[in-house]
Amino acid sequence: MKRVVITGAGTINALGHDVPETLEAMREGRCGIGQLEMRDLDRLAIKIGGQVKGFEAEGIFNRQQMALYDRFTQFTLVAARQAIAQAGLEFSGEMAAKCGVILGTSGGGMTTLDDNYRSVYEDGKNRVHPFVVPKLMNNAAASHVSMEFNLKGPSFTVASACASSNHAMAQAFQMIRCGMAPAMVTGGSESMLCFGGVKAWEGLRVMSRDACRPFSANRNGMVQGEGAGVFIFEEYEHAKKRGAEIMAEVAGYAMSSDASDIVMPSKRGAARTIAGALADSAIDCEEVGYINAHGTGTAANDKTECAAVADVFGPHADKLMISSTKSMHGHLIGGTGAVELLACIMALRDGVIAPTIGYQEPDPECALDVVPNEAREAKVNVALSNAFAFGGLNAVLALRRV
Amino acid sequence: MEIRDKVIAIIADQAVLEPSDVTMDSTLEDLGIDSLGLVESIFAIEEAFDISVPFNANDPQESDFDISSVASIVAGIEKLVAEQK
């Protein structure tokens, strides 16, 4: 089996428009969640989110591209350009034929859907723009990345709600590990912060009106975010031979399904997946120094996740650090695992653990070291990234310091 | 139909029971209504009475809306209807 390393990373999210800005915000425990800016805000009960501010597609994309790219595709391309530039890879010949793009998203082109439903239902128009379908389809982002960078290998989009990015990255990892591809572009994106997207989440009554406070006893729900995270996963020898800078090693993963409930998480399912990722990567639980939690800030997730961690790690659960960066960038749904992987890279490479901000009151049901409010310096050799999606679909990645 | 009968009809529908099987002292647990069923019932109640029910599924106990029994739900809805009409 081949070893797999990360040689490039890109992002755009509420904390920053690239990786250095995002990591700086995480180090400083800055909150990217604020008042939403969108039309018909007065008709929404939930008015906050981790929105990407100050992003202008003009100048980044030409007019023809803008007509074809939904916001989730724009985010993806911004992040992919950064990641590929950092990795310094060029895709031609055999390399182009073998390398592909696997991305996660849950909603795909929600803004396009929202705008066009409004146009035909509310405004009564009988004609829509010819690009509605190619703009909104879930695979649009993956396809545009493949076109821009000449990636002709296996490319597709994975949708498993809040675990989409982790499932996508697990799949890309597996392709490199088994020798199918020397490198893959992977990660995910989401742009659900449009009127219909927020309204739909409102219906479920799990959204907070003021802040995302994972693990804090006074937490009152999740907050949506948006953005993208894209990485270059590369076969270790391939990266070493060309002298690429290695950010971290992807050591293994596990995926599982609870097969029980469409919205409630399962402790056993989460524990099985965490334990599976350790087994797959041959990591002893004592080696794990940091877990980037799924940590949505809902009552159901946080206590279930903490119980699962306690079950898997036993006494070591009290020694490791576990934080939820959703407190800062919000829940990016299908893109969340990708942005959260950055916190794992920061822990391993820079020795800085991103905090869980907004933490105000200890909860006996979440009695782990959640790195409250302030980042911490610590040497970490192994980090895990958890994702437990609606529908009971779980994916956990294990990363190792190189 | 009185508010009480309408609320009971909605809860019975959610529980797949006859309205006569839903008593005022029944709890949602007795009726086999889980958290998702509860959120769905509250939606149906809001639609039926054109009101807004202050309920956060994260922490039903902390919400300003008592769901401990059918009686408390009916009382809560009566109050909200009076306030919001």
Side-chain angles (χ1 to χ4, degrees), chain A residues 94-391:
Chain A
E94 178 84 346
M95 186 71 181
K98 284 191 168 167
C99 298
V101 193
I102 304 180
L103 297 174
T105 186
S106 183
M110 291 279 284
T111 311
T112 302
L113 268 177
D114 208 44
D115 288 348
N116 286 281
Y117 277 154
R118 186 180 278 121
S119 153
V120 293
Y121 294 144
E122 188 179 320
D123 304 337
K125 292 213 173 125
N126 285 325
R127 193 183 299 120
V128 297
H129 192 277
F131 296 164
V132 172
V133 168
K135 224 173 142 176
L136 67 78
M137 60 192 193
N138 281 40
N139 61 314
S143 296
H144 286 298
V145 172
S146 80
M147 287 182 259
E148 186 162 323
F149 296 99
N150 195 36
L151 294 149
K152 296 179 174 170
S155 297
F156 51 89
T157 296
V158 175
S160 52
C162 316
S164 302
S165 282
N166 272 18
H167 275 107
M169 293 188 288
Q171 191 63 54
F173 166 77
Q174 183 62 29
M175 284 185 180
I176 300 169
R177 180 157 77 167
C178 74
M180 245 176 98
M184 292 291 290
V185 178
T186 188
S189 75
E190 199 73 74
S191 175
M192 229 181 247
L193 287 177
C194 52
F195 182 81
V198 177
K199 186 52 88 181
W201 276 101
E202 230 179 73
L204 206 51
R205 293 174 183 266
V206 294
M207 307 302 286
S208 170
R209 288 166 197 247
D210 52 1
C212 176
R213 296 186 203 87
F215 310 118
S216 188
N218 63 342
R219 66 190 179 275
N220 58 6
M222 53 178 272
V223 174
Q224 263 199 86
E226 65 172 357
V230 175
F231 300 89
I232 308 304
F233 283 13
E234 188 173 351
E235 194 269 313
Y236 175 64
E237 295 297 337
H238 190 275
K240 215 172 79 175
K241 212 164 104 189
R242 65 184 192 90
E245 187 204 329
I246 293 171
M247 304 174 84
E249 177 172 4
V250 187
Y253 71 98
M255 314 191 251
S256 75
S257 18
D258 299 339
S260 65
D261 194 280
I262 197 69
V263 290
M264 292 304 281
S266 142
K267 182 184 83 165
R268 285 175 67 189
R272 209 153 53 87
T273 321
I274 297 168
L278 296 177
D280 181 62
S281 44
I283 286 170
D284 286 332
C285 69
E286 283 77 21
E287 289 181 78
V288 177
Y290 172 63
I291 300 174
N292 184 282
H294 191 55
T296 54
T298 60
N301 175 82
D302 294 2
K303 63 182 178 197
T304 307
E305 185 169 12
C306 288
V309 168
D311 274 11
V312 173
F313 290 93
H316 185 67
D318 295 326
K319 294 189 190 124
L320 56 78
M321 293 168 280
I322 175 168
S323 71
S324 169
T325 50
K326 287 188 178 75
S327 56
M328 296 180 272
H329 51 62
H331 192 336
L332 277 77
I333 320 291
T336 211
V339 170
E340 289 164 30
L341 201 70
L342 292 169
C344 292
I345 291 173
M346 183 167 79
L348 297 167
R349 187 192 61 179
D350 307 335
V352 177
I353 311 299
T356 304
I357 68 163
Y359 187 84
Q360 294 170 332
E361 278 177 47
D363 178 353
E365 287 195 271
C366 303
L368 300 174
D369 179 0
V370 301
V371 198
N373 301 320
E374 278 179 32
R376 204 179 295 163
E377 284 186 17
K379 192 181 163 198
V380 168
N381 292 320
V382 172
L384 302 183
S385 184
N386 285 349
F388 309 121
F390 271 2

Side-chain angles (χ1 to χ4, degrees), chain A residues 203-207 220-222 261-264 297-299, chain B residues 34-36 39 42-43 46 52-59:
Chain A
L204 206 51
R205 293 174 183 266
V206 294
M207 307 302 286
N220 58 6
M222 53 178 272
D261 194 280
I262 197 69
V263 290
M264 292 304 281
T298 60
Chain B
D34 64 6
S35 62
L36 204 56
V39 170
I42 288 178
F43 167 72
E46 287 183 327
S52 170
V53 179
F55 175 78
N56 181 337
N58 282 295
D59 206 345

